Amino acid sequence: MAARIEDYGLIGDLQTAALVGRDGSIDWLCLPYFDSPACFAALLGDPDHGSWQVAPAAGGTCTSRRYRGDSLVLETDWETPDGHVRVIDLMPPRGEAPDLVRIVEGVSGRVPMVCDLRLRFDYGTVAPWVTRAEQWVSAVAGPDAVTLATPVDVTVDGGTGGGGEGHPAGALRARFEVAAGDRVPFVLTHHPSYRQTPEPADAEHALAATEEYWAAWAAGTRYGGSWRDAVRRSLVTLKALTFAPTGGIAAAATTSLPEEIGGARNWDYRFCWLRDAAFTLVALLGTGHVDEARAWREWLLRAVAGDPADLQIMYGLDGRRRIPESTLDWLPGYERSAPVRVGNGAADQLQLDVWGEVLVCLDVARTAGLAVEDDAWRLQVALLDFLEGHWQDLDNGLWEVRGPRRAFVHSRVMAWAGVDRSVRAVERLGLDGPLDRWRALRDEIRTDVLTHGYDAERNTFTQFYGSDGLDASLLLVPRVGFLPWDDPRVVGTVDAVQRELSENGLLLRYHTHADDRVDGLPGREGTFLVCSFWLAHALHGIGRHDEAVDLFERLLELRNDLGLLSEEYDVAAGRQLGNTPQAFSHVGLVNTARVLSGGAVTDAFARGEEEP
């Protein structure tokens, strides 16, 4: 069984990432990219589905672990009866090929160690053919090949072909000891099997280069508010989820970690969601990372180029549109939470809020001083033309419900926001557009939402028109400027959402059982972490600052020992749920910290105005 979600640390090279457990086992890694098939998939099965453990032979979980400064260099320590040993894990910024480096360092005594490497390509289904060269062990399966370079003797165990120059591998094993001062490297390098084998990285040089890279990157962070360490670690995590070749940001590094243990709410998050764009942009721009924000904006423009009617809610890391969903029935799933899914069928849904969110995103970029480009404005006008004719359509909503389409309030409010930002761009910058028509459209949408999306008897907006249920996304109504923070309808909505969607003080997205199971799925889910950050922001907005700070600091306590957050939290079991690390959760942390710190915060959804 895989470890708890919060027991994993993250390392990565800005094109893929690995999860390292407290027991020294890497249980998840996709090569060569975030969304490639996994070669270590024990996270969703068992070690024979692919894993790599480097740890004391006596076993057990580590004594302590930490990142080196503001980096993704992970140090894991064991203090054993035989001595103290440290494993240093990293993936250097990619050069010719992806490298995974593990350095075993003896601190004191003499500790027996084990290396147990089980390569299983294509999500645990394909054992590679193993051969030995003078400098390394090579493993090949179809299009994939890896080399393992290490000075210790490696044996092939559990193969079915027996002896000879090559045979299928069950596991590659090494047994060795480290004394104080020893440093034993392991370097795993991936390359296409039809290309020449690249030279493996030098472990010590890779370590130095990786530390230098992250130190230089972190030096560009500009944040002087409270909770500095938490904010900086979340920014490093967001950077780690960035796909460097394109500037896209993966929603998470994993697929199919469940929203309910044993349930079927298991989704693939290794793609880029448009709705995250504005939140992410403000987190990056507000902390000094303009280059990343510009790259994200450019990814967005490339991804959504084309017919506005064909806009999708998500795209591949390279901007591709087709990400069909399928199940991997040979994997039992994390703690028997099946099915395991790859791809995401929600890409084909109609979610009208994304048109508004893209328009908001482009406005954020302009407000922050990123260059106004003619192509970007023409695209914005085309998107608005589509929205003008379709804002009243029923859709699947931002939570990607798989039940009937509805008139979701958040979708209509975001349509209003998109029109509002376009009106303001014409007014503020003199850009070309039918100003009177857009003003009339903005007023029409606003009147429609206030008439049909607000329940006067309960003094709250509702999840969709005629709904009995609520939705945490209603907390964004004042953040887009739809109503001011002190409007009684906003205060009533914040109170209602906090009262009705709270589980032990944290927020659900919505009640899955409401309105005849609005999302069309069985089971339930945990509390949603970004929604809880939204609540802290909203409490601050309506003047309850101390309560907001208390909630925010409680949310910080839900991070694991390395500062990482997944998507959800099970308050009854006291554990993280969902894919990890979740970009949306870390964006929520950064943006809420900036608001609560009381600085001059330009929120992505605040129409270029400072938060209260």
Side-chain angles (χ1 to χ4, degrees), residues 489-568:
R489 292 164 291 190
V490 168
V491 176
T493 298
V494 174
D495 286 339
V497 166
Q498 184 180 30
R499 180 178 63 251
E500 297 187 25
L501 295 184
S502 175
E503 281 197 356
N504 195 21
L506 305 181
L507 282 194
L508 299 166
R509 293 187 289 184
Y510 53 88
H511 282 297
T512 57
H513 61 266
D515 298 297
D516 296 322
R517 302 204 69 85
V518 62
D519 61 16
L521 296 167
R524 50 163 294 153
E525 61 184 26
T527 58
F528 211 73
L529 292 174
V530 75
C531 295
S532 300
F533 283 116
W534 291 349
L535 177 59
H537 188 143
L539 291 169
H540 168 79
I542 63 173
R544 290 153 60 180
H545 178 77
D546 291 345
E547 187 179 351
V549 170
D550 288 344
L551 174 57
F552 181 78
E553 293 187 337
R554 182 185 172 195
L555 287 166
L556 293 186
E557 294 174 358
L558 305 184
R559 299 173 301 147
N560 73 359
D561 57 314
L562 297 173
L564 300 179
L565 287 169
S566 66
E567 180 184 33
E568 299 185 5

Side-chain angles (χ1 to χ4, degrees), residues 84-113:
H84 181 177
V85 66
R86 174 174 300 138
V87 176
I88 304 168
D89 288 317
L90 61 131
M91 296 187 73
R94 189 171 301 187
E96 180 183 358
D99 295 298
L100 198 166
V101 177
R102 314 195 75 177
I103 301 172
V104 182
E105 177 185 11
V107 180
S108 66
R110 190 171 187 86
V111 182
M113 299 291 293

Side-chain angles (χ1 to χ4, degrees), residues 7-12 18-26 62 64-78 86-91 101-105 207 210-211 214 233 560-564:
D7 287 338
Y8 287 101
L10 181 81
I11 59 174
L19 295 186
V20 187
R22 291 177 179 271
D23 60 353
S25 181
I26 297 177
C62 65
S64 63
R65 60 181 181 169
R66 73 211 65 83
Y67 287 114
R68 287 191 177 183
D70 293 321
S71 80
L72 278 188
V73 176
L74 178 63
E75 295 182 336
T76 305
D77 285 37
W78 286 264
R86 174 174 300 138
V87 176
I88 304 168
D89 288 317
L90 61 131
M91 296 187 73
V101 177
R102 314 195 75 177
I103 301 172
V104 182
E105 177 185 11
L207 173 60
T210 304
E211 288 192 272
W214 283 104
R233 176 48 53 185
N560 73 359
D561 57 314
L562 297 173
L564 300 179

Side-chain angles (χ1 to χ4, degrees), residues 12-353:
D13 67 355
L14 309 183
Q15 297 192 42
T16 191
L19 295 186
V20 187
R22 291 177 179 271
D23 60 353
S25 181
I26 297 177
D27 289 346
W28 183 254
L29 174 63
C30 301
L31 289 172
Y33 306 123
F34 287 106
D35 55 354
S36 299
C39 63
F40 299 148
L43 182 69
L44 303 177
D46 59 47
D48 283 333
H49 290 112
S51 62
W52 185 13
Q53 185 174 42
V54 177
T61 59
C62 65
T63 306
S64 63
R65 60 181 181 169
R66 73 211 65 83
Y67 287 114
R68 287 191 177 183
D70 293 321
S71 80
L72 278 188
V73 176
L74 178 63
E75 295 182 336
T76 305
D77 285 37
W78 286 264
E79 295 184 16
T80 77
D82 297 303
H84 181 177
V85 66
R86 174 174 300 138
V87 176
I88 304 168
D89 288 317
L90 61 131
M91 296 187 73
R94 189 171 301 187
E96 180 183 358
D99 295 298
L100 198 166
V101 177
R102 314 195 75 177
I103 301 172
V104 182
E105 177 185 11
V107 180
S108 66
R110 190 171 187 86
V111 182
M113 299 291 293
V114 61
C115 166
D116 188 341
L117 172 60
R118 301 166 189 252
L119 284 160
R120 296 293 184 273
F121 293 103
D122 199 14
Y123 299 105
T125 61
V126 181
W129 188 262
V130 176
T131 57
R132 297 177 182 276
E134 188 172 320
Q135 297 175 296
W136 54 66
V137 178
S138 177
V140 176
D144 294 295
V146 301
T147 59
L148 175 66
T150 179
V152 302
D153 184 47
V154 175
T155 62
V156 182
D157 182 40
T160 59
E165 289 299 317
H167 49 86
L172 303 178
R173 299 184 187 277
R175 299 290 186 269
F176 59 102
E177 293 186 350
V178 289
D182 289 346
R183 293 174 73 87
V184 179
F186 296 84
V187 179
L188 189 75
T189 303
H190 176 272
H191 69 281
S193 60
Y194 47 85
R195 293 182 180 170
Q196 184 176 354
T197 302
E199 190 72 21
D202 177 275
E204 297 295 345
H205 290 166
L207 173 60
T210 304
E211 288 192 272
E212 182 180 354
Y213 171 84
W214 283 104
W217 184 85
T221 298
R222 300 289 180 265
Y223 180 75
S226 303
W227 310 289
R228 178 179 178 275
D229 289 345
V231 168
R232 292 178 72 89
R233 176 48 53 185
S234 286
L235 289 168
V236 169
T237 304
L238 289 174
K239 179 65 173 176
L241 293 172
T242 300
F243 187 61
T246 66
I249 299 176
T254 58
T255 180
S256 298
L257 290 181
E259 298 171 6
E260 178 186 29
I261 299 297
R265 295 170 180 262
N266 317 315
W267 316 107
D268 193 346
Y269 277 13
R270 298 171 298 161
F271 309 109
C272 299
W273 267 254
L274 295 188
R275 104 171 16 90
D276 300 3
F279 290 99
T280 303
L281 266 177
V282 74
L284 294 171
L285 289 168
T287 54
H289 294 292
V290 176
D291 288 344
E292 285 76 11
R294 182 178 291 108
W296 182 218
R297 195 269 306 266
E298 297 308 312
W299 174 90
L300 176 68
L301 290 174
R302 292 192 302 271
V304 306
D307 188 341
D310 295 331
L311 191 71
Q312 295 185 181
I313 67 166
M314 70 180 82
Y315 295 83
L317 294 164
D318 56 2
R320 73 185 184 280
R321 292 171 174 264
R322 292 184 59 79
I323 45 179
E325 183 177 302
S326 60
T327 60
L328 308 183
D329 297 331
W330 60 86
L331 286 172
Y334 179 86
E335 294 192 20
R336 300 289 169 178
S337 304
V340 171
R341 293 182 172 92
V342 294
N344 200 309
D348 297 326
Q349 288 185 348
L350 176 65
Q351 297 178 24
L352 286 169
D353 63 297

Side-chain angles (χ1 to χ4, degrees), residues 382-397:
L383 292 171
L384 196 58
D385 286 344
F386 175 84
L387 194 59
E388 185 174 8
H390 293 274
W391 69 268
Q392 291 179 304
D393 292 353
L394 304 182
D395 74 328
N396 298 97

